[in-house]
Amino acid sequence: LRLAAKPFCSFVDGIGARLPFGLLRRLTRSILRAEQLEIETLFDCLAQFRSNHSLLPDYDLDSLNWLLNFMERTHLHRDLRKIVLRGPGDKIVGWYMYYTNPGQVALVVQISAQKQFAKDTLDHLFYDAWSHGAIALSGLAPIYLMDDFSEKQCFFVCGRGCSTLAYARNPELVEMLSRGDASLSRLDGEWCLMPDLR
């Protein structure tokens, strides 16, 4: 049934994406300028954007390079899109990484942005994924951007794959996780190391 319905659904989706109103309104290009996100730039971004949280991962350039190379080698059937976004004065205001999956749901690995450019960063991600054939995006929403995700009509679900297992002898560390004071994404756990991404 899925294969038989795919041409019809693609036709309806194509029309829906071009309607000027409603949830399926046409996606628009972001005002931000995009560049390929290089390892050195990502390393600098992770350091620059780290002040919003008390608990965060601590990468060095070699470990970050190894991780991204591993992710690209392990999932050859998917393209890992890595984009950095620049705003006024050519300053970096956000970035994102996701696995393309034409005709399917694309999987977001990480997204981060300055608060004032959060919606523009989301617009850019949505348009980029749509232009690469994605029918939807799935990922983890940073707590500090939840309002922006909601205003962009994102859906939030808590189900399979949404749990985090954490242990620490220091209860304050677990408390930071519970209250959303930790900067963790799919890049920081075992998800990106799995051969079968979901």
Side-chain angles (χ1 to χ4, degrees):
L1 283 175
R2 188 168 119 182
L3 289 175
K6 189 171 182 177
F8 174 75
C9 292
S10 297
F11 175 74
V12 173
D13 287 343
I15 293 175
R18 286 159 177 78
L19 293 175
F21 54 83
L23 288 175
L24 299 176
R25 70 186 183 280
R26 183 179 177 91
L27 296 171
T28 56
R29 289 183 182 273
S30 170
I31 62 170
L32 304 177
R33 185 172 65 82
E35 296 176 356
Q36 180 71 18
L37 178 60
E38 303 295 340
I39 298 290
E40 294 81 4
T41 305
L42 175 59
F43 183 74
D44 292 340
C45 286
L46 290 171
Q48 176 186 345
F49 284 61
R50 65 194 295 131
S51 59
N52 295 326
H53 303 92
S54 300
L55 184 64
L56 33 84
D58 187 20
Y59 292 101
D60 60 35
L61 198 55
D62 289 336
S63 63
L64 192 60
N65 187 47
W66 177 89
L67 178 58
L68 292 181
N69 285 333
F70 177 88
M71 291 168 63
E72 290 178 331
R73 286 193 320 269
T74 305
H75 309 288
L76 295 175
H77 61 292
R78 298 186 187 192
D79 179 30
L80 181 60
R81 297 272 300 157
K82 303 183 296 285
I83 302 295
V84 63
L85 300 170
R86 296 184 181 272
D90 211 36
K91 293 182 178 179
I92 294 175
V93 297
W95 77 90
Y96 58 81
M97 291 183 279
Y98 73 95
Y99 281 106
T100 60
N101 200 7
Q104 305 291 327
V105 176
L107 304 174
V108 179
V109 177
Q110 187 178 62
I111 180 171
S112 186
Q114 291 181 6
K115 184 64 176 172
Q116 63 268 37
F117 293 101
K119 294 184 187 69
D120 295 314
T121 300
L122 284 169
D123 281 341
H124 201 286
L125 170 60
F126 296 159
Y127 190 91
D128 192 80
W130 178 65
S131 66
H132 284 82
I135 61 169
L137 287 160
S138 173
L140 304 178
I143 295 294
Y144 76 103
L145 296 181
M146 291 292 276
D147 291 343
D148 302 291
F149 277 73
S150 182
E151 287 183 33
K152 286 295 179 181
Q153 300 171 336
C154 296
F155 295 96
F156 301 96
V157 295
C158 187
R160 184 176 180 272
C162 293
S163 301
T164 300
L165 178 64
Y167 169 79
R169 292 182 179 177
N170 184 344
E172 291 182 17
L173 296 177
V174 178
E175 175 60 25
M176 288 178 190
L177 285 171
S178 299
R179 68 172 183 256
D181 194 16
S183 176
L184 298 175
S185 69
R186 284 176 162 172
L187 188 67
D188 309 311
E190 64 182 12
W191 179 90
C192 61
L193 304 176
M194 296 165 57
D196 181 23
L197 298 178
R198 296 181 185 181

